[in-house]
Amino acid sequence: MEEQLSAIFARFRGTAGEVIPLLQKTQEELGFLPEEAMRRIGDFAGVPFSKVYGVATFYTMFRFTPVGKYHVCVCRGTACHVRGADQILEHVERELGISENETTGDGEFSLETVACIGCCALAPCITVNSDVHGRLTSKKASQVLKKARGAALKEEEDGK
Amino acid sequence: MGNKGRKTIIVCQGTGCVSSGATPTYKALEEGIRKAGLTDIQMKLTGCHGFCQRGPIVIIEPDGVFYSGVQEKNCEEIVESHLKNGQPVEGLFYKDPATGQPIATYGEIPFYANQERIVLARCGHINPEVIEDSIDSGIYRAAPRVFWEMPPAAVIEEIKKAGLRGRGGAGFPTGVKWGFCANVEADQKYIICNADEGDPGAFMDRSILEATPHQVLEGMIIAGYAIGATKGYIYARAEYPLAIKRLGIAIEQAREKGFLGRRVFGSEFDFDITIFQGAGAFVCGEETALIGSIEGGRGMPRTRPPFPAVKGLWGRPTVINNVKTLATVPEIINRGAEWFAGIGTEKSPGTAVFALTGKVANCGLIEVPMGTPLRKIIFDIGGGIVDGGRFKAVQTGGPSGGCLPEEFLDTPVDFENLAKAGSIMGSGGMVVMDESTCMVDLARYFLDFTQKESCGKCVPCRMGTKHMLEILEDICEGRGEPDDLSKLMELADAIKEGSLCGLGQTAPNPVITTMKYFRHEYEAHVHEKRCPALKCKAMLQYHVNQDACKLCGTCKKNCPADAIRGDKKKKIPFEIDVDKCIRCGMCHTVCPVGAVVKTSPGIVNDHEEAAEAAN
């Protein structure tokens, strides 16, 4: 972590105004924000840890625990809501065996909801990592997850 | 439509089309053209065409032939038939949902024909990642003219004369805002483009940034010059990675051309733009919260005055404009204030951009003159309600707006009229609902959103929205009490009065409008414990209509709760165990013959009605 943080800090000047971009880059690099990293950001930007923590917890984007390899986000936008997003969410929860904001035991999948990903014309939709899947039905959602799971298994086999 | 002239194939690469598979489509077309040895054909990537629902979209110019839903497998036919032999592929044409007739060119499709595009004029026609394409289409024509021919005060005067009002939702006159800022003496001023499009159900700003980023940059350059700001920020949502990527490319290209940086366009004026990525907080769309966020803090609104135009970012005068406002500015300079003022209505000139979504046949991004009636937007452009359903309400303004029933369909849409009806113009989200949308559940949905997004600074907003949500949850779950409705109204008033910023002041709007126009639904939930729209789970029951059931067993196979009894082979009829049923609706969704009936006790529905309402 030390090395990664140093590499990130090298791109910044170390001012209070850079706290959010610093947190973003750190999360991008580490996958989440460990306490130690936030303390180091505070030292670097000259801001107390309490303030860094206050900022990090204010914004929904920041996470304090690692996410799964496949990060599933179910959109809860209005258009998705009207077209049955709650049913999709329930279905995905059942399929993965976890609730919102949880990660599967094997660390493969984590599940979150987002306010809106702006693909309202394709409602209801979910994202798996950065891929958007639209016009979902429960059945299609299962297929999307199955495909991701298949990809995960394949990677595992290839790795062996 | 012969095979004459150089053809250009336009493949949309907006977020919507990409998620529908536009990238493999593009590659397959490219490959097909190469294999066929066709040389006089140019491939072009563009941003959003607005008709996201029908994606991936492919247009063949100069004929303007419009193909929708083009998948990889369809590409060979397009290359063989259309590109090689000049025979357009009719099977891929858009079909009018009303008549079922195929329509060949986009100009003839009602979705496009009924629009008037100013801000979106170039969306889908230029490659957003190639600055020359933008320049050829007329972007960056206004900025140099401004530098050489118009003093800053004249620019502000022109925008005032045009009557341009802020497209972020509040509708404050843009020229007046600029004037306030220009009149303040300061060593540094800022212009911020507010691209923190947080309303759920809205994607106008994202599409514009993805499709014509240079148009927004030009608007910022002009605004910066007018108010005397040498630095600009674009505050963009982190949820829009493609928009951020294209903006980054656009800024880089503009710097190379000398349109940004020192002495822009060879003038005496320095101007540069930085992208600031938001981190997911709806309240940051409010300008003082947005400033707090750029400064590195929690995005919490501050008291106004002082207004940002006087004391904003880092304590310096700052103007914050919405993406659409800034994208309109160059067109006003190019075509003049009179031209702009002539479009739309007297008090709300120009056009309005909407993200039309929900239960309409044609979802997508649209632009119409201000004052266009809702009916024209929903039925002529939107093609009416999907699957033959019945219109129930339209929601504008996102979580700050309201739901308007059928009686407002002929209301001309502008800032004043929507406010009068109890909703707001908002930034442009327009969600259409049919009979299957429960208005109480919808109010609950919005309160759930605002409650989560309340920054916590003002107690009435922080605690009040939570209380309202709890009451609404009780109502939706069948625990509503008769005095809940008056409690909701009391809380709504307190939150409106006691909140500092727009989020709190408008948070009760969805509840107030649904209570006003759909009170009978609240009453059905509270007094009769039934949900007329068949939406609220706690009040639903499913059962199998034995007359329609074909004994296929699909419901039983798919039931996640093991709540269905019956046997396909032994011909034992299928039945749903009400106690085990978790009301997930799976059996209802998968039944191939519509034999699973959804009811809310108290309503006697025959099978057809219930199935229709559920769709």
Side-chain angles (χ1 to χ4, degrees):
Chain A
M1 186 170 86
E2 202 48 46
E3 260 174 45
Q4 287 161 305
L5 285 178
S6 305
I8 293 167
F9 293 168
R11 283 141 63 195
F12 290 87
R13 287 174 295 148
T15 60
E18 290 170 332
V19 169
I20 294 173
L22 276 165
L23 289 168
Q24 285 168 332
K25 290 283 169 228
T26 306
Q27 178 162 296
E28 221 174 277
E29 194 65 34
L30 304 176
F32 70 110
L33 295 171
E35 185 186 320
E36 188 49 32
M38 287 189 279
R39 286 192 187 277
R40 295 266 289 112
I41 288 171
D43 292 342
F44 174 66
V47 173
F49 167 65
S50 58
K51 196 176 167 210
V52 177
Y53 187 73
V55 170
T57 48
F58 184 81
Y59 297 96
T60 52
M61 161 184 189
F62 297 119
R63 291 185 292 265
F64 308 100
T65 48
V67 287
K69 197 156 107 204
Y70 295 94
H71 188 51
V72 181
C73 286
V74 178
C75 180
R76 302 297 310 271
T78 319
C80 286
H81 177 79
V82 171
R83 286 192 180 231
D86 42 357
Q87 225 173 347
I88 301 290
L89 175 64
E90 273 171 32
H91 185 75
V92 173
E93 283 181 333
R94 265 199 310 273
E95 284 269 305
L96 295 177
I98 50 172
S99 301
E100 198 182 328
N101 299 325
E102 287 179 359
T103 305
T104 51
D106 57 4
E108 288 293 322
F109 288 92
S110 50
L111 178 62
E112 263 179 35
T113 58
V114 288
C116 181
I117 49 176
C119 279
C120 317
L122 303 175
C125 49
I126 64 171
T127 59
V128 178
N129 295 341
S130 55
D131 294 331
V132 182
H133 303 272
R135 300 187 197 95
L136 286 184
T137 55
S138 305
K139 210 168 150 189
K140 233 177 119 183
S142 299
Q143 285 166 355
V144 169
L145 296 175
K146 213 168 140 190
K147 220 173 136 190
R149 205 173 265 140
L153 283 176
K154 193 169 176 301
E155 266 171 39
E156 217 167 85
E157 277 165 20
D158 290 349
K160 271 176 193 165
Chain B
M1 274 179 236
N3 198 7
K4 276 179 257 146
R6 189 176 161 84
K7 282 193 167 64
T8 304
I9 304 180
I10 293 173
V11 185
C12 177
Q13 295 282 302
T15 295
C17 281
V18 168
S19 73
S20 301
T23 310
T25 298
Y26 182 83
K27 284 199 183 119
L29 281 170
E30 203 174 43
E31 181 66 16
I33 291 166
R34 197 184 55 78
K35 269 192 191 158
L38 299 170
T39 50
D40 59 340
I41 288 169
Q42 188 197 355
M43 298 275 299
K44 189 165 169 177
L45 296 176
T46 67
C48 185
H49 290 256
F51 210 172
C52 313
Q53 193 191 9
R54 302 276 166 175
I57 286 168
V58 173
I59 294 176
I60 316 267
E61 294 284 16
D63 313 332
V65 172
F66 181 93
Y67 292 127
S68 62
V70 182
Q71 296 297 331
E72 207 175 343
K73 60 175 194 264
N74 307 119
C75 293
E76 201 185 319
E77 197 182 358
I78 294 182
V79 173
E80 274 301 309
S81 173
H82 190 161
L83 301 179
K84 241 173 129 178
N85 301 317
Q87 278 302 318
V89 185
E90 209 181 299
L92 293 170
F93 285 172
Y94 167 79
K95 284 177 196 65
D96 191 322
T99 62
Q101 283 300 309
I103 303 175
T105 63
Y106 65 82
E108 300 168 272
I109 296 172
F111 178 78
Y112 289 111
N114 284 308
Q115 294 190 42
E116 181 165 343
R117 291 187 158 204
I118 295 172
V119 177
L120 304 180
R122 297 180 182 88
C123 289
H125 298 285
I126 59 170
N127 185 333
E129 296 182 13
V130 178
I131 192 170
E132 284 76 16
D133 239 33
S134 294
I135 296 171
D136 289 346
S137 76
I139 299 177
Y140 293 122
R141 200 182 290 157
R145 247 198 67 206
V146 165
F147 290 135
W148 304 118
E149 294 169 20
M150 297 168 85
V155 178
I156 295 175
E157 204 42 51
E158 190 74 4
I159 299 299
K160 274 188 194 164
K161 233 167 57 190
L164 175 64
R165 298 174 66 171
R167 265 34 178 181
F172 190 79
T174 306
V176 177
K177 203 189 226 181
W178 289 11
F180 287 151
C181 189
N183 288 336
V184 184
E185 287 287 330
D187 56 342
Q188 175 73 58
K189 293 181 190 176
Y190 299 98
I191 167 87
I192 300 175
C193 169
N194 185 350
D196 189 44
E197 186 173 47
D199 281 10
F203 55 94
M204 303 74 54
D205 297 350
R206 192 210 72 208
S207 299
I208 292 166
L209 293 171
E210 283 178 8
T212 58
H214 287 288
Q215 196 173 333
V216 180
L217 299 189
E218 189 184 21
M220 287 183 76
I221 297 169
I222 296 169
Y225 169 77
I227 62 170
T230 54
K231 275 199 75 134
Y233 281 94
I234 300 176
Y235 190 98
R237 283 183 88 197
E239 287 90 338
Y240 290 173
L242 187 61
I244 290 170
K245 180 187 147 208
R246 290 202 176 141
L247 272 174
I249 294 171
I251 291 173
E252 220 29 71
Q253 289 171 339
R255 282 189 192 135
E256 275 166 29
K257 290 267 179 200
F259 300 169
L260 286 176
R262 295 209 150 269
R263 302 169 63 89
V264 294
F265 293 96
S267 70
E268 295 293 305
F269 177 66
D270 296 342
F271 187 73
D272 209 353
I273 297 174
T274 311
I275 303 172
F276 189 95
Q277 277 193 44
F282 173 68
V283 70
C284 286
E286 198 277 342
E287 43 183 35
T288 59
L290 187 153
I291 287 171
S293 181
I294 295 184
E295 290 173 352
R298 291 161 73 94
M300 291 163 102
R302 304 167 185 174
T303 40
R304 298 180 301 179
F307 286 91
V310 179
K311 201 164 173 246
L313 185 62
W314 312 111
R316 307 298 203 295
T318 306
V319 161
I320 301 167
N321 285 140
N322 174 266
V323 172
K324 295 176 291 290
T325 315
L326 290 164
T328 314
V329 165
E331 288 307 303
I332 295 177
I333 301 293
N334 281 330
R335 302 204 229 176
E338 284 82 24
W339 161 80
F340 187 80
I343 304 167
T345 61
E346 198 193 327
K347 283 189 175 165
S348 307
T351 55
V353 179
F354 289 108
L356 183 63
T357 61
K359 295 293 184 84
V360 276
N362 304 328
C363 289
L365 194 67
I366 62 156
E367 185 172 358
V368 290
M370 288 274 186
T372 304
L374 280 166
R375 189 183 297 280
K376 186 170 177 191
I377 296 174
I378 296 165
F379 288 89
D380 295 350
I381 298 174
I385 306 301
V386 78
D387 299 332
R390 225 180 96 78
F391 173 88
K392 183 174 188 174
V394 56
Q395 209 278 343
T396 63
S400 310
C403 295
L404 304 180
E406 211 174 348
E407 64 203 77
F408 288 96
L409 273 179
D410 292 307
T411 303
V413 173
D414 64 12
F415 290 101
E416 277 74 26
N417 279 321
L418 287 182
K420 229 189 299 163
S423 187
I424 63 163
M425 183 84 189
S427 68
M430 185 178 275
V431 186
V432 178
M433 290 145 203
D434 66 0
E435 296 283 349
S436 71
T437 309
C438 169
M439 303 316 273
V440 186
D441 172 68
L442 189 79
R444 183 201 57 78
Y445 163 80
F446 279 120
L447 255 293
D448 180 53
F449 178 85
T450 37
Q451 183 266 135
K452 279 184 188 145
E453 295 295 340
S454 170
C455 79
K457 187 168 186 164
C458 310
V459 182
C461 172
R462 183 178 74 227
M463 302 298 290
T465 52
K466 176 89 182 149
H467 266 296
M468 285 182 85
L469 175 64
E470 281 169 358
I471 295 175
L472 288 164
E473 277 172 350
D474 279 347
I475 297 177
C476 289
E477 279 161 30
R479 298 188 301 265
E481 303 275 344
D483 65 343
D484 278 349
L485 304 187
S486 57
K487 269 192 213 156
L488 279 175
M489 284 317 276
E490 210 176 298
L491 281 164
D493 287 339
I495 296 168
K496 269 176 169 280
E497 285 204 7
S499 302
L500 192 59
C501 81
L503 189 148
Q505 287 161 6
T506 59
N509 280 356
V511 180
I512 296 172
T513 51
T514 47
M515 282 242 262
K516 186 169 166 193
Y517 300 122
F518 301 94
R519 197 176 175 91
H520 54 280
E521 287 196 30
Y522 280 85
E523 282 166 353
H525 281 74
V526 172
H527 303 305
E528 298 163 48
K529 308 287 180 233
R530 64 177 178 94
C531 174
L534 302 177
K535 167 81 188 172
C536 293
K537 251 169 90 172
M539 302 175 190
L540 293 185
Q541 262 182 29
Y542 290 89
H543 72 267
V544 182
N545 175 4
Q546 303 299 347
D547 296 335
C549 179
K550 298 276 182 267
L551 291 171
C552 69
T554 312
C555 56
K556 189 179 176 185
K557 211 172 84 193
N558 283 283
C559 176
D562 210 11
I564 302 179
R565 289 183 300 255
D567 196 294
K568 188 176 167 178
K569 283 194 191 121
K570 294 180 193 155
K571 303 264 184 237
I572 303 172
F574 289 92
E575 272 175 17
I576 298 170
D577 183 338
V578 184
D579 295 327
K580 274 192 179 172
C581 176
I582 56 168
R583 304 180 187 100
C584 66
M586 189 54 126
C587 50
H588 184 262
T589 313
V590 295
C591 179
V593 290
V596 177
V597 185
K598 180 160 72 165
T599 58
S600 187
I603 313 174
V604 185
N605 258 315
D606 71 31
H607 144 64
E608 265 174 28
E609 262 178 32
E612 199 180 282
N615 276 327

